[in-house]
Amino acid sequence: MRFLWLRLARVWPVYLVTMHLAALWIIFTLHVGHVPSEEVSTLTATNYIRQLLLVQLWFEPYFDGTSWDGPAWSISAEWLAYLLFGVLILVVFRIARSTRARGLICLAVLASLPPVLLLAATGQFYTPWSWLPRIVMQFTAGALLCAAVRKLDLTDRARRGAGYLSLLIAAAIVGLVYWFDGHPLRTIEDASGLVDVLFVPLVAALAIGAGSLPWVLSLRPMVYLGHISFSLYMVHELVHTTWNWAAEQFEVRLLPDLGGKATVIGVLAVAVLGAALLYHAVEEPARRWMRSMMGPTDATRTGRLQSLPERTDEVSARAG
């Protein structure tokens, strides 16, 4: 229950704010201009309750159109994974007790494969209920990978090697996406989805790596972007939808000139600024408030936190 509450504290406040902003935007388009939102028919009491409780996706084979704020479908899927975690973790603990780190990494890779196998079988990444194996199996892969990383005790040289490996894997992912875009496969329409097989190795390499890409991601600006990334994820579609409405309402056309480029940059800037505002005004204050409802941890009650050594200039950190 503590885990579920802390996860809810992490995602629900921003989710609620963007959900209601999206609903207000749909209502706004009904009364202003001549381009009402296509989502007007979804403004029902039943749909509101489902979205409020994060279960709107559970009844739909496709995620398009399930949420007023587009990206919110994935939060509904994550909530299902969080509820399954209480059972999943018992299995992971038993496996981790009797399996070495390498074996756990292999199991994590295998757990992440079902969506890729479905892609290879159907040729399409987006099929009915495809979201279900994606969230359940890849969430399981993450849990197994976490157990594996906690078992590893690597030398500095090995960590630097993992850092360089993460850079190579990231470059391979980007390169393959461009390659499949320019050289599509005849039998697989969404061939770029095949790069999913590289994400478990990438997360593992970033979690244990040092230097190169892990070092870049640990820089202060990158860490801050990581802090606001969830708010950016939840607000960017609202900005995009607003721009699309304005372009249709006022018959604006983006041209490949300086003005068009400036407009795109401006839209991106508005999304980032909106994310920063959402993070500082909603996400972080609400998260701290909801976490405080759980009361002090065992470590705080016993005073163990007071015996920690003083902070030094060099701090070790791991992803995850």
Side-chain angles (χ1 to χ4, degrees):
M1 293 303 297
R2 180 180 179 85
F3 168 81
L4 289 175
W5 182 255
L6 293 181
R7 293 315 303 161
L8 202 62
R10 179 68 179 84
V11 301
W12 207 33
V14 170
Y15 172 92
L16 285 180
V17 170
T18 53
M19 165 191 157
H20 286 90
L21 286 176
L24 289 174
W25 171 252
I26 295 172
I27 295 171
F28 172 83
T29 63
L30 282 175
H31 302 284
V32 177
H34 60 275
V35 187
S37 170
E38 297 178 355
E39 305 296 327
V40 169
S41 61
T42 66
L43 289 176
T44 64
T46 302
N47 197 13
Y48 178 84
I49 295 300
R50 286 180 176 180
Q51 297 202 46
L52 188 69
L53 300 178
L54 300 165
V55 299
Q56 71 271 23
L57 183 64
W58 299 6
F59 307 94
E60 303 293 339
Y62 293 100
F63 56 73
D64 281 340
T66 57
S67 304
W68 295 330
D69 181 20
W73 71 267
S74 64
I75 310 303
S76 179
E78 286 181 28
W79 182 236
L80 176 61
Y82 297 155
L83 293 175
L84 294 175
F85 183 71
V87 176
L88 172 64
I89 195 60
L90 298 177
V91 179
V92 172
F93 273 148
R94 287 185 177 274
I95 294 175
R97 281 200 195 104
S98 57
T99 309
R100 293 183 178 181
R102 289 184 199 170
L104 290 170
I105 293 175
C106 291
L107 288 174
V109 172
L110 290 175
S112 70
L113 290 182
V116 179
L117 295 177
L118 289 174
L119 169 62
T122 63
Q124 295 182 337
F125 202 68
Y126 189 38
T127 55
W129 299 103
S130 59
W131 63 268
L132 190 55
R134 282 174 61 185
I135 185 63
V136 174
M137 299 310 300
Q138 293 175 346
F139 190 86
T140 302
L144 289 167
L145 190 60
C146 176
V149 168
R150 290 168 66 90
K151 282 195 166 194
L152 290 173
D153 185 16
L154 303 176
T155 63
D156 291 341
R157 182 178 180 180
R159 293 189 180 280
R160 286 194 298 270
Y164 288 119
L165 179 61
S166 68
L167 185 60
L168 292 175
I169 296 174
I173 289 174
V174 175
L176 286 172
V177 168
Y178 276 96
W179 172 264
F180 286 130
D181 184 61
H183 304 81
L185 299 180
R186 182 176 58 84
T187 57
I188 302 180
E189 183 177 344
D190 300 326
S192 60
L194 295 173
V195 302
D196 269 21
V197 298
L198 296 177
F199 275 95
V200 166
L202 175 63
V203 172
L206 286 172
I208 63 177
S212 58
L213 184 57
W215 176 81
V216 172
L217 294 177
S218 68
L219 295 175
R220 189 179 296 273
M222 299 299 290
V223 172
Y224 180 74
L225 289 176
H227 285 316
I228 69 170
S229 61
F230 177 62
S231 290
L232 178 61
Y233 177 64
M234 294 302 294
V235 82
H236 83 277
E237 186 65 21
L238 295 178
V239 176
H240 187 208
T241 301
T242 303
W243 161 252
N244 286 344
W245 178 86
E248 188 174 356
Q249 174 73 31
F250 301 107
E251 299 181 356
V252 178
R253 292 187 61 189
L254 274 182
L255 300 176
D257 56 9
L258 186 60
K261 293 180 175 63
T263 301
V264 172
I265 294 174
V267 171
L268 293 174
V270 169
V272 174
L273 290 175
L277 177 63
L278 197 60
Y279 173 76
H280 291 290
V282 177
E283 181 179 350
E284 188 62 9
R287 184 185 67 85
R288 291 177 180 272
W289 174 61
M290 291 182 68
R291 286 179 67 93
S292 68
M293 295 181 189
M294 294 298 296
T297 63
D298 291 338
T300 305
R301 283 194 296 266
T302 57
R304 281 184 294 169
L305 292 180
Q306 298 176 0
S307 62
L308 292 175
E310 293 183 2
R311 182 176 177 178
T312 60
D313 293 337
E314 185 174 347
V315 180
S316 170
R318 290 185 183 179

